[in-house]
Amino acid sequence: MTSVLDLAPVVPVVVLDDPADAVPLARALVAGGLPAIEVTLRTPAALDAIRAIADGVPEAVVGAGTVVSAAGVEDAVAAGARFLVSPGWTGGLLDAMTASGLPFLPGVATASEVVALLERGVREMKFFPAEAAGGTAYLKSLAGPLPGARFCPTGGISLASAPDYLALPNVGCVGGTWMLPPDALAARDWGRVEALAREAAGLR
């Protein structure tokens, strides 16, 4: 599979409470040009949502986010996830994600964490929480001493700030939720989600 960082400029970060919404939401995002979809394991519906997207929207590349344990890795793989994302990492979690055979983005917020992952042969990472951890200025400062690392910054990024991140040489894509406004999700306004996804897809 093409690197998750290269599938689209934006990876929607999805929190679903009703798995029945998974397929129409994924179809709207894919139609808008955002095929990589991170479904976070924050709700009881998450694994069913991943399974529904994997089965019903084959053109989507559905991943599992908020993966924080080896058991979470196993559950995500069994549900059909095609990539894994964690907010941080430990040695055990990294081993489990590596053993899964899936692409993964372990979360980092410091230079030391980046160096430790590079030491383990991992070059693609999630920078989280992006805005709170220093934003574009911090990532720009990492590019010189750590050119081997590429990032998907996530956390507090908006349509307005995304282009600044995407302009950095060490950023492959950004994660965000702005194309998933709560009122549109509550109304199941998939047309609006598709329009916002198309706007996001046009950032690069």
Side-chain angles (χ1 to χ4, degrees), residues 82-202:
R82 294 174 60 185
F83 65 93
L84 307 170
V85 184
S86 67
W89 66 278
T90 65
L93 179 58
L94 191 67
D95 289 343
M97 291 193 292
T98 302
S100 75
L102 296 180
F104 59 89
L105 299 173
V108 297
T110 69
S112 293
E113 291 168 331
V114 176
V115 171
L117 284 176
L118 291 172
E119 191 175 76
R120 296 279 296 265
V122 178
R123 300 192 174 278
E124 298 187 343
M125 312 166 194
K126 171 179 178 172
F127 179 58
F128 176 83
E131 286 289 283
T136 55
Y138 191 85
L139 282 173
K140 186 175 182 179
S141 71
L142 292 181
L146 300 170
R150 293 181 73 213
F151 301 96
C152 173
T154 304
I157 298 174
S158 66
L159 177 64
S161 62
D164 294 332
Y165 283 94
L166 293 168
L168 297 175
N170 55 351
V171 170
C173 64
V174 300
T177 60
W178 73 85
M179 74 297 301
L180 303 163
D183 58 336
L185 297 184
R188 294 175 169 79
D189 187 350
W190 310 126
R192 184 178 172 203
V193 171
E194 180 181 339
L196 292 170
R198 184 169 291 109
E199 185 179 35

Side-chain angles (χ1 to χ4, degrees), residues 41 46-48 50-51 64 67 69-81 84:
L41 302 184
L47 292 171
D48 286 338
I50 291 171
R51 193 172 292 108
V67 178
S69 67
V73 171
E74 292 178 7
D75 290 342
V77 171
L84 307 170

Side-chain angles (χ1 to χ4, degrees), residues 39-62:
V39 177
T40 65
L41 302 184
R42 300 181 193 175
T43 69
L47 292 171
D48 286 338
I50 291 171
R51 193 172 292 108
I53 295 170
D55 292 342
V57 193
E59 60 272 33
V61 180
V62 62

